[in-house]
Amino acid sequence: MNLPNNAPLEEIYLQNDFKSGVRLFLKREDKIHPIISGNKWRKLYYNIKFAKKNKINSIVTMGGAFSNHIAATAYAGRIFGFDTIGYIRGDELKKLNSTLSFAKLNGMKFKFVSRSLYKTGFFLEKYKNKKKYKDYMIIPEGGSNQMGIDGCKEIYNDIKIDFDYICCSVGTGGTLSGIASKLKKNQYAFGFSSLKGANYLNDVVRGYTKNNNWKLIMNYHFGGYAKINDELIDFINFFKEKYNIQLDPIYTGKLIFGIFDLIKKNFFKKKSTIIAVHSGGIQGINGINDKLKNNKIII
Ligand SMILES: *Cc1c(COP(=O)(O)O)cnc(C)c1O
């Protein structure tokens, strides 16, 4: 098992009239693997190594209906030889959407839990019985444990150019935590939250790094997790047409929309270099398109 090493930096050539001399590069973590894409492979990597070394048979994890982590874990379980059990947020999902169908096809067993029970995490208690569940390993939501965050540090290590800013999407905060903990003093990280009102994320990231040259940006969530509107869909489709790069509607579409908007508003200093992390998530598009009732879909 090798560390992912095929996530190149690609420059996004901006229109002169709005770029104030800034240069934007996309770190193509989405190219790492078609299924275990982007930060989910980074986060699973050390977890899977640990599981192999410790003769773990079953991985227990959890996530929502469109979770890239659920899809990635199911797939990784199949190819690396682990049973996978996924606790899914929301009873109503027993009618599987495309993400969950994919995970099932890859052998994941589901347990559906109500949103309120999911929040408490009580369903994990039984796995603490180490006698009965000694071959089990729990990986938290989004893969964001210390090993997952260590994997995300590699995103930073893999960037071979000087830069001023690095921007990434935020769900659980694991990716931002890994990146922020590697920053040099003259660099700054911005995490664009895909969740509404998720101020607790500040504490999450502070728990993993003493650096304070990072900030959460809270106004490009488009209403909250997995919420979208026509403006966002138009932007994702525009970006694909212009740059031939697919963004996803839950994370990276919101991130790049936000970066473009902030560049237009001269938020970044003149002539600075910005890295945006394309963290993957393309598998989620089908599920979102199925949900869209109007004619506008992600192409
Ligand atoms: C999970 C995910 C994120 C969020 O990463 P966190 O480490 O949970 O903050 C961002 N982008 C994509 C594509 C993801 O799948």
Side-chain angles (χ1 to χ4, degrees), residues 39-40 43 68 142 144 169-175 248 251-252 279-281:
N39 60 354
K40 297 306 179 288
K43 294 203 265 190
N68 296 316
S144 291
S169 306
V170 174
T172 63
T175 307
D248 84 287
Y251 293 107
T252 56
S279 38

Side-chain angles (χ1 to χ4, degrees), residues 67-251:
S67 170
N68 296 316
H69 168 69
I70 287 290
T73 305
Y75 187 87
R78 185 169 64 73
I79 60 172
F80 295 113
F82 300 100
D83 293 338
T84 53
I85 300 164
Y87 283 81
I88 307 299
R89 180 179 57 217
D91 285 324
E92 75 282 8
L93 294 163
K94 285 176 183 150
K95 188 178 167 301
L96 303 184
N97 68 7
S98 71
T99 299
L100 299 180
S101 302
F102 173 84
K104 188 179 174 190
L105 220 59
N106 282 280
M108 183 174 270
K109 302 263 188 309
F110 298 129
K111 314 248 186 206
F112 294 93
V113 289
S114 68
R115 280 153 207 275
S116 50
L117 178 60
Y118 186 92
K119 228 180 183 167
T120 66
F122 280 161
F123 51 87
L124 294 174
E125 284 299 307
K126 67 175 182 188
Y127 297 103
K128 289 182 183 152
N129 179 346
K130 281 291 164 208
K131 254 200 191 128
K132 197 165 169 205
Y133 292 102
K134 68 174 174 346
D135 305 334
Y136 284 63
M137 173 179 175
I138 297 171
I139 299 182
E141 190 173 53
S144 291
N145 53 14
Q146 184 65 57
M147 287 182 277
I149 284 150
D150 287 343
C152 290
K153 293 176 184 170
E154 312 285 349
I155 299 172
Y156 179 98
N157 293 344
D158 204 31
I159 300 171
K160 306 299 181 203
I161 66 167
D162 287 333
F163 63 86
D164 302 285
Y165 306 102
I166 182 163
C167 303
C168 68
S169 306
V170 174
T172 63
T175 307
L176 178 62
S177 297
I179 290 171
S181 65
K182 297 293 294 186
L183 293 171
K184 293 184 187 138
K185 285 211 165 54
N186 60 343
Q187 294 175 325
Y188 212 96
F190 292 109
F192 288 64
S193 178
S194 285
L195 282 63
K196 188 175 164 182
N199 287 314
Y200 61 88
L201 287 166
N202 282 300
D203 289 333
V204 171
V205 181
R206 271 188 222 115
Y208 287 105
T209 178
K210 290 199 167 56
N211 286 344
N212 50 22
N213 41 341
W214 57 271
K215 191 174 167 27
L216 282 163
I217 298 207
M218 294 297 203
N219 45 353
Y220 294 101
H221 55 64
F222 286 81
Y225 180 75
K227 297 277 196 304
I228 46 177
N229 64 18
D230 285 357
E231 194 183 16
L232 180 64
I233 295 170
D234 284 342
F235 178 77
I236 290 170
N237 290 339
F238 148 81
F239 194 83
K240 183 168 181 184
E241 233 157 65
K242 182 154 171 92
Y243 298 106
N244 198 23
I245 295 173
Q246 181 76 64
L247 302 172
D248 84 287
I250 297 179
Y251 293 107

